[in-house]
Amino acid sequence: AQSVTQPDIHITVSEGASLELRCNYSYGATPYLFWYVQSPGQGLQLLLKYFSGDTLVQGIKGFEAEFKRSQSSFNLRKPSVHWSDAAEYFCAGSLGAGGTSYGKLTFGQGTILTVHP
Amino acid sequence: KAGVTQTPRYLIKTRGQQVTLSCSPISGHRSVSWYQQTPGQGLQFLFEYFSETQRNKGNFPGRFSGRQFSNSRSEMNVSTLELGDSALYLCASTQGYPSYGYTFGSGTRLTVV
């Protein structure tokens, strides 16, 4: 079945430490992949997206993600976390061809990031 | 450029009532998608409209419906509300295809009592 999985429900890091959030997908071809961030009670803000080409994608707020086809992964990274990065992070994919993909993102369950001072 | 605007931000309804939510996409975006977000089920796709036509839909009962107007604004309607419909409803707009990416609104928080 086509799916996006975030193995970590909750991650805690210290401010200034590096961060890696994991995302795996199950799909027969290369999907369009996205990372979003959500603050409590708010909508989703797009951090970065991957469609094709360079497998290392740069996003906003100092985030980057690397697409690895062999591992079906699209992990999000940040070299130094700030307290304001505390939020919930969602990996999402457009998994489908033609009409089945229109407007539909398949989301992982999300990873809650806590940042300790 | 204005973002995706959803109204109202909060709603409280009683079981059995119906509700209509509104979404105004980014200017020039012709596709609007709707999602339901709950703690138990996460983010689930409801349906997508493009140029006033529903192009795709998720696995939700017929009580959930939508429409899109000629100015691309979209409405979502839920009839005969159930307690389980309590959720954050998000809409997203795009120019028309996944490759353009999706911009989300801040959502409407619906509480059914």
Side-chain angles (χ1 to χ4, degrees):
Chain A
Q2 299 167 354
S3 64
V4 174
T5 304
Q6 293 178 247
D8 305 305
I9 296 173
H10 196 169
I11 282 185
T12 300
V13 300
S14 297
E15 191 169 17
S18 63
L19 171 70
E20 182 168 29
L21 303 181
R22 297 185 291 164
C23 172
N24 295 97
Y25 67 88
S26 174
Y27 181 54
T30 299
Y32 298 141
L33 294 165
F34 308 82
W35 273 100
Y36 285 90
V37 61
Q38 184 179 38
S39 297
Q42 298 299 311
L44 302 170
Q45 181 182 22
L46 179 66
L47 290 175
L48 44 78
K49 57 190 176 186
Y50 173 78
F51 296 145
S52 64
D54 194 348
T55 57
L56 187 61
V57 180
Q58 301 297 321
I60 62 171
K61 304 186 178 187
F63 286 94
E64 66 178 26
E66 185 171 14
F67 172 70
K68 292 186 178 179
R69 187 191 310 276
S70 61
Q71 298 177 20
S72 297
S73 69
F74 187 56
N75 294 348
L76 182 71
R77 302 194 294 243
K78 187 170 186 179
S80 178
V81 170
H82 187 262
W83 64 266
S84 60
D85 292 324
E88 188 162 16
Y89 292 79
F90 292 92
C91 181
S94 180
L95 312 177
T100 62
S101 71
Y102 293 147
K104 180 180 179 180
L105 289 177
T106 300
F107 285 86
Q109 285 300 101
T111 298
I112 298 171
L113 174 65
T114 298
V115 181
H116 279 171
Chain B
K1 193 167 174 179
V4 177
T5 303
Q6 290 189 246
T7 56
R9 286 281 281 135
Y10 301 93
L11 267 178
I12 300 176
K13 290 288 187 178
T14 304
R15 269 182 303 174
Q17 288 186 316
Q18 75 164 6
V19 67
T20 300
L21 313 182
S22 178
C23 174
S24 293
I26 290 173
S27 178
H29 286 192
R30 297 165 65 189
S31 166
V32 174
S33 304
W34 288 90
Y35 291 81
Q36 181 194 65
Q37 185 178 23
T38 60
Q41 299 299 315
L43 282 148
Q44 294 185 286
F45 172 73
L46 282 154
F47 33 65
E48 186 254 10
Y49 286 85
F50 180 84
S51 293
E52 302 179 66
T53 300
Q54 186 183 88
R55 291 196 302 183
N56 200 3
K57 68 188 300 288
N59 297 322
F60 278 81
R63 299 186 297 106
F64 292 82
S65 63
R67 59 178 175 168
Q68 186 180 37
F69 302 94
S70 58
N71 61 357
S72 293
R73 188 177 72 86
S74 177
E75 288 183 347
M76 189 192 94
N77 186 76
V78 188
S79 63
T80 319
L81 284 166
E82 300 176 0
L83 295 179
D85 297 332
S86 295
L88 181 66
Y89 290 88
L90 294 164
C91 79
S93 76
T94 183
Q95 292 181 40
Y97 299 95
S99 56
Y100 289 112
Y102 299 87
T103 303
F104 282 81
S106 297
T108 294
R109 169 72 63 185
L110 172 64
T111 302
V112 183
V113 298

